[in-house]
Amino acid sequence: VIRYLILAVLLLVWGSTAAQIPVEWMVGNKKSSIDLMFFRFVKDRDKQPSRVLFFSRARATVDYKMTSTSNLPTFGLTEAISYNPRNWKGFAPVAVVQVFNRGLFPKAGMQYAHTGKQLTVFSWLVVETMKDPDIDYFLLMRYTPALSPKLKLFTQLEAVNSFPTRAGASFGFTQRMRLGLMQQQFQYGLAADLTQQGNRSFQASTNLGGFLRVEL
């Protein structure tokens, strides 16, 4: 499942960008996951970045307690596109399509993107274009200051939050933290994935381990 998911995303994005694609492998005490995620401006006819920003993510997770009927692998595929006017200072309307184990979900909303030499911030607030929609807030912050000419600190915080509009439906909150080192196209270190799901009472899960991230 994981290798076919990776192949599908690679074929999808290869034509829109010639840059490297980052792949992360996280091994925790409860689950293992593989994650391809990037966002880049699509190049125009002159091979220069245009105002169109493309976001792509493919993620698959395997639970060590998996059986033939429970704790089955999960996968998610997210594709988003936005047009970023220069005078909007990083804000832009965004259209999102997500595919999970439970189905397909088109969404629309507003996005913010900032990419610097050390600090990256990417975020959106979107709502499903369906009946009884969920409202999603996504935030990715990455800070990579230099420690030496060939070594950088790698820190990343990610938050994925889902707020239902239907009474009694479950809220979903996920936080993923990475702390390590960056050497050229490699990043590695400690990882923590935290999830909470429920309504009046919440079920929480913590997955602690390490990660290796490489740009292929």
Side-chain angles (χ1 to χ4, degrees):
V1 174
I2 294 178
R3 65 172 178 266
Y4 290 130
L5 191 59
I6 295 174
L7 179 60
V9 174
L10 290 176
L11 292 174
L12 179 65
V13 304
W14 196 263
S16 64
T17 174
Q20 293 175 317
I21 299 175
V23 182
E24 180 198 87
W25 182 33
M26 190 272 196
V27 178
N29 62 321
K30 296 180 180 179
K31 300 178 182 181
S32 180
S33 64
I34 190 165
D35 195 345
L36 292 80
M37 178 178 64
F38 72 93
F39 55 96
R40 297 192 180 99
F41 286 97
V42 177
K43 294 184 179 180
D44 58 22
R45 295 180 179 178
D46 298 324
K47 305 299 181 181
Q48 298 299 316
S50 68
R51 295 292 92 199
V52 177
L53 183 64
F54 178 68
F55 175 96
S56 179
R57 183 175 209 175
R59 178 179 176 84
T61 303
V62 175
D63 194 312
Y64 302 148
K65 295 183 178 180
M66 178 182 62
T67 69
S68 59
T69 57
S70 64
N71 300 312
L72 298 176
T74 62
F75 75 91
L77 178 64
T78 301
E79 305 295 331
I81 192 166
S82 62
Y83 182 78
N84 297 254
R86 295 183 185 276
N87 57 350
W88 283 29
K89 307 298 182 182
F91 290 93
V94 60
V96 182
V97 175
Q98 293 183 307
V99 182
F100 299 116
N101 297 60
R102 61 185 188 276
L104 184 147
F105 302 89
K107 305 178 181 182
M110 290 296 297
Q111 169 189 285
Y112 175 77
H114 167 80
T115 55
K117 291 183 178 180
Q118 295 184 347
L119 178 65
T120 297
V121 179
F122 185 87
S123 179
W124 66 43
L125 181 67
V126 296
V127 62
E128 294 176 4
T129 59
M130 298 185 295
K131 184 180 179 181
D132 297 325
D134 285 350
I135 300 172
D136 292 347
Y137 177 69
F138 171 71
L139 172 66
L140 174 73
M141 297 182 64
R142 185 181 301 142
Y143 182 54
T144 57
L147 300 176
S148 71
K150 296 184 179 181
L151 186 66
K152 293 182 178 181
L153 179 68
F154 183 86
T155 62
Q156 181 172 288
L157 172 64
E158 180 184 351
V160 183
N161 303 315
S162 179
F163 304 92
T165 59
R166 178 169 51 88
S170 295
F171 293 78
F173 305 104
T174 299
Q175 305 87 43
R176 302 187 182 105
M177 292 163 280
R178 305 291 185 263
L179 175 62
L181 299 175
M182 179 175 181
Q183 291 179 293
Q184 296 181 347
Q185 75 269 33
F186 294 96
Q187 299 93 47
Y188 52 87
L190 303 176
D193 290 355
L194 316 175
T195 60
Q196 305 87 35
Q197 188 169 9
N199 195 301
R200 295 182 181 275
S201 62
F202 286 81
Q203 293 182 340
S205 176
T206 301
N207 190 39
L208 304 176
F211 77 96
L212 172 64
R213 187 172 180 268
V214 59
E215 295 183 359
L216 298 177

